[in-house]
Amino acid sequence: MTIEARAEEGLLALLESRRSAGGGLIGEPGPNEGQLRRLLTIAARAPDHGVLEPWRFIVIEGDARAQASEKLAECYLAENAAMEPGKLQKFAAIMARVFTSSPVVVIVVSRTDGTAKIPVFEQELSAGAVCMNLLTAAHAMGFAANWVTGFAASSPRARKVLGAAEDEKIAGVIFIGTAKEKPADRKRPDVDAITTRWRNL
Ligand SMILES: Cc1cc2nc3c(=O)[nH]c(=O)nc-3n(C[C@H](O)[C@H](O)[C@H](O)COP(=O)(O)O)c2cc1C
């Protein structure tokens, strides 16, 4: 096998082994400043129809993680005042430490331009591609990562405290760190079942 063929095999094996690390599986260390910059630079190489850059990053790290989590919990309490108090306190407590569970959190903000020739849908797809690039790059760098949305993305109040403008959406909250244990793989799609070949009937 040539060096090139081996490198290609290695890259494919890397893609085949990527797995999200959810549920408290991410720990220290996270990427350092240089590594994070490289990860974000790779993420921003996502396909971008019309070169609109319809996305941006908000990084939450260090003490900001606890502060942002507290703000999110406040939003949650304000928005769910009608919830049964025990349940509300339980969820708010989870929210109050949500970003502290991993060393680095990157919010991928989708900022579309409705006046552009490129459909908004395509601009939003590009933000999804940024998230995916970030997950793949983190994996290639030896880190574990997880892409979630949840309350942070669905609540306008939460989006605001996290720094998104009113006309922006949150495409992904990406947790990055080191896997505490290797996550087991999940069931993967049967590619034959989801693939057809177009025929001229
Ligand atoms: C846009 C988007 C939002 C997601 N939001 C959540 C979420 O809020 N909570 C969650 O548990 N999983 C969420 N997921 C799923 C996980 O990120 C992950 O994809 C899933 O656990 C499957 O793992 P895998 O990446 O190894 O295939 C989301 C996935 C996508 C694409």
Side-chain angles (χ1 to χ4, degrees):
M1 209 189 244
T2 63
I3 289 175
E4 289 81 10
R6 222 180 302 154
E8 190 177 300
E9 224 10 83
L11 187 56
L12 292 171
L14 195 81
L15 293 172
E16 285 164 344
S17 63
R18 189 205 60 79
R19 171 77 177 103
S20 288
L25 281 182
I26 298 179
E28 298 284 346
N32 62 29
E33 201 183 324
Q35 288 172 317
L36 180 60
R37 193 164 192 286
R38 192 173 182 194
L39 290 175
L40 298 181
T41 304
I42 294 169
R45 291 181 61 92
D48 170 10
H49 193 179
V51 201
L52 298 173
E53 294 178 21
W55 21 256
R56 65 185 182 93
F57 303 113
I58 299 171
V59 175
I60 309 179
E61 56 190 345
D63 293 343
R65 294 172 307 156
Q67 292 158 0
S69 303
E70 286 289 345
K71 292 270 184 198
L72 208 61
E74 285 169 20
C75 293
Y76 193 82
L77 286 167
E79 264 175 44
N80 294 283
M83 195 185 280
E84 190 271 307
K87 212 163 138 187
L88 179 59
Q89 288 306 325
K90 188 180 142 200
F91 289 134
I94 293 171
M95 216 64 81
R97 55 177 192 275
V98 67
F99 298 128
T100 62
S101 66
S102 71
V104 173
V105 181
V106 176
I107 296 180
V108 177
V109 177
S110 162
R111 48 170 187 181
T112 57
D113 178 355
T115 68
K117 262 193 344 204
I118 311 303
V120 164
F121 177 56
E122 293 186 19
Q123 298 178 46
E124 290 177 339
L125 287 177
S126 181
V130 167
C131 294
M132 191 63 236
N133 254 7
L134 184 52
L135 289 189
T136 308
H139 179 55
M141 208 179 263
F143 292 109
N146 196 30
W147 174 2
V148 301
T149 44
F151 181 70
S154 64
S155 155
R157 196 188 302 240
R159 286 201 299 269
K160 190 174 176 194
V161 301
L162 291 174
E166 250 176 53
D167 58 351
E168 293 180 326
K169 293 180 185 169
I170 290 182
V173 178
I174 317 281
F175 292 80
I176 308 173
T178 299
K180 291 180 188 164
E181 58 186 82
K182 192 171 179 284
D185 203 7
R186 68 173 174 91
K187 186 176 177 296
R188 296 292 166 182
D190 172 359
V191 77
D192 294 326
I194 56 166
T195 308
T196 52
R197 284 190 168 66
W198 186 83
R199 283 188 303 132
N200 194 6
L201 297 171

